[in-house]
Amino acid sequence: MTFTDRDRAVEAAVARGLVGAGEPVVGLLDIAGIRRSAGELRAAFEEFTAPGTPVLHAFAVKAASLVPVLKLLAQEGLGCEVASPGELALARAAGVPVARTVLDSPAKTLAELREALALGIAVNADNPEELARIDALMASAPSSAPIGVRVNPQIGGGTIGAMSTATDTSKFGVALRDEGAREWVVNAFLARPWLTRLHAHVGSQGMPLELMAAGVRALYLLAEEINEKAGRRQIDTLDIGGGLPVNFSSDAQTPTYREYAALLHSAVPGLLSGRYGLVTEFGRSLLAKHGTVLARVEYAKSAGGRPIAVTHAGAQVATRTVFVPEAWPIRVAGYDAEGRPKTGAPVGQDIAGPCCFAGDLVAENRPLPLLEAGDHAALLDTGAYYFSTHFAYNSLPRPGIYGYAPDSDGAIRFATIRTPQTLEELTTESGSDHAAALDDLGRPTGRHRNG
């Protein structure tokens, strides 16, 4: 049997007690793999982009809202795309320069906009009302921050409707095909010399690369139209978003960044020619293949003749997979009590989580070597979103997350990314400091609880 770095990391995590009876679920991130993906992204666009073209690959923080990961990606030459005050705070804690930070959100508050403009962070306005807010801020305190407008080319969605951002009725950006919308966008730029960017994010899981390229082409043609009517190069940067689909059916990393960059090079002549600076906002595709959620099997049982492995990884860490399994299926691997790959004939079995509702299943009737109490179930391809979208159902604490990489002699080294949440931290988060706050609220004046 050929052992992968992931197999060795699982065995080492069990041996070192990162997962066990006291810590029954843990997150593992392949740091060498993350560095490799970041390098592949940079190299792909460098190959097809004219020398000297400003290119910022801004990692979508929502995909892994972990400060050490953001710092690692910054060391690998990436910036951050943030969509909330919290994500901006994380990027700043990771030391990401404001010049390499982009603010996107469909619901930015006036305070968020004011802070971003004061810091010089690039802002993509989502809609006319938000642009009016920026007008007022620019009038009172002019900013040199790069400012753009997000548009929706309305070219269609991927296979998951809830994740698709370029449908006819998407909540994001200015819908270009709506009556009068394109004219409004053009006039908005002509009236504001400080608007210098256009942004569109059309990619999503399950979307064909050709459709993504069509959305980018629509963005490019709009920029060309605006610049022609302005009589100058007013728009100098195009933000093409991210959304490269991920293969969740095997270890293969497909499609690749090179395939996408090559397609853009041929489908959108001029985009990578140096005419425009470029911003990308990839997230899931950078990290998904490099993460593993490892959970101890607490009990093995059966119901209706089907084996069930009851583990400690369910909806709290695999929320999308549990609630929308047909859209977000993930691979599961079995490991024995020592963390070695489980062997034996495949048996259809359910891999259940700890949450108190019947649908808390990460895999249903999945053929695997029969898992027993004390074994481990590994949820693969979980490096993106699974560690940053914890669902606090049943007040289950957030698991610890550890980065790993082999050293020069092949031994696995770990580094703590996030410590396991303690029960004290959980109770504090749930208001324990205010436990007596409601004791007298709502009581009739002058009367005791029992009359």
Side-chain angles (χ1 to χ4, degrees):
M1 177 181 291
T2 301
F3 286 85
T4 65
D5 283 347
R6 180 177 62 224
D7 294 333
R8 286 187 279 271
V10 168
E11 186 173 12
V14 173
R16 298 178 201 186
L18 300 183
V19 65
E23 297 291 345
V25 61
V26 69
L28 304 175
L29 277 172
D30 177 359
I31 301 307
I34 294 173
R35 292 186 189 275
R36 186 170 60 250
S37 286
E40 289 168 353
L41 171 59
R42 294 195 318 271
F45 279 84
E46 286 171 3
E47 179 180 351
F48 293 99
T49 302
T53 302
V55 177
L56 170 62
H57 297 295
F59 174 72
V61 172
K62 56 185 169 289
S65 49
L66 300 162
V67 170
V69 173
L70 303 183
K71 185 175 182 181
L72 167 71
L73 291 171
Q75 292 171 349
E76 294 297 316
L78 276 62
C80 281
E81 181 265 335
V82 300
S84 72
E87 290 185 356
L88 175 56
L90 296 178
R92 299 197 72 189
V96 178
V98 294
R100 301 185 66 78
T101 304
V102 179
L103 174 62
D104 290 321
S105 164
K108 305 179 196 72
T109 66
L110 190 60
E112 287 177 68
L113 291 169
R114 184 181 291 111
E115 179 186 21
L117 296 179
L119 290 172
I121 290 171
V123 176
N124 289 317
D126 180 82
N127 57 71
E129 291 186 356
E130 183 180 330
L131 188 56
R133 286 186 176 183
I134 295 175
D135 282 338
L137 291 170
M138 290 290 285
S140 62
S143 170
S144 60
I147 304 173
V149 173
R150 179 171 183 169
V151 297
N152 169 17
Q154 295 173 292
I155 47 87
T159 57
I160 305 172
M163 297 293 109
S164 298
T165 59
T167 59
D168 284 345
T169 57
S170 170
K171 72 177 185 179
F172 294 105
V174 179
L176 278 183
R177 295 183 181 179
D178 283 13
E179 185 176 356
R182 189 182 188 93
E183 181 181 4
W184 179 87
V185 171
V186 173
N187 289 334
F189 275 84
L190 297 181
R192 298 168 177 83
W194 41 264
L195 277 180
T196 59
R197 293 187 171 193
L198 265 181
H199 169 47
H201 180 105
V202 301
S204 65
Q205 184 63 21
M207 177 175 277
L209 295 189
E210 292 75 15
L211 199 56
M212 291 176 61
V216 174
R217 178 174 173 78
L219 185 74
Y220 173 83
L221 292 176
L222 177 59
E224 292 282 279
E225 178 183 344
I226 291 170
N227 282 350
E228 181 180 359
K229 291 183 176 178
R232 63 189 182 89
R233 187 171 171 263
Q234 177 172 344
I235 296 176
D236 58 25
T237 301
L238 297 180
D239 184 337
I240 65 172
L244 191 74
V246 171
N247 162 38
F248 286 102
S249 62
S250 74
D251 279 336
Q253 296 192 43
T254 57
T256 66
Y257 292 119
R258 189 185 186 281
E259 289 169 343
Y260 185 42
L263 177 60
L264 291 176
H265 183 257
S266 62
V268 194
L271 174 71
L272 306 180
S273 67
R275 253 174 112 76
Y276 296 96
L278 192 69
V279 177
T280 71
E281 299 175 356
F282 297 104
R284 179 181 295 110
S285 55
L286 278 162
L287 263 71
K289 306 300 287 185
H290 307 307
T292 301
V293 174
L294 184 64
R296 189 171 183 268
V297 178
E298 194 67 39
Y299 299 107
K301 56 191 292 187
S302 67
R306 182 184 296 172
I308 303 172
V310 181
T311 80
H312 290 271
Q316 89 278 25
V317 291
T319 314
R320 289 176 177 174
T321 293
V322 168
F323 286 110
V324 197
E326 66 279 3
W328 298 103
I330 53 175
R331 297 181 295 147
V332 180
Y335 292 86
D336 66 17
E338 282 72 46
R340 297 169 300 206
K342 186 85 173 180
T343 58
V347 176
Q349 57 197 294
D350 291 350
I351 311 301
C355 298
C356 287
F357 64 95
D360 186 31
L361 304 170
V362 297
E364 194 168 354
N365 201 21
R366 186 70 59 85
L368 290 167
L370 188 63
L371 294 175
E372 303 170 295
D375 287 343
H376 298 86
L379 316 188
L380 309 184
D381 307 329
T382 48
Y385 292 97
Y386 289 80
F387 299 150
S388 59
T389 51
H390 188 86
F391 179 44
Y393 194 84
N394 287 142
S395 295
L396 290 162
R398 289 185 289 272
I401 302 172
Y402 302 89
Y404 69 85
D407 59 21
S408 57
D409 63 2
I412 296 295
R413 293 177 55 203
F414 289 102
T416 302
I417 294 175
R418 185 181 74 194
T419 56
Q421 186 181 31
T422 66
L423 294 182
E424 182 181 6
E425 290 169 338
L426 189 151
T427 54
T428 298
E429 188 176 87
S430 297
S432 62
D433 288 346
H434 311 284
L438 306 181
D439 287 359
D440 296 315
L441 195 64
R443 285 184 180 175
T445 303
R447 296 179 61 189
H448 295 292
R449 184 178 304 159
N450 296 319

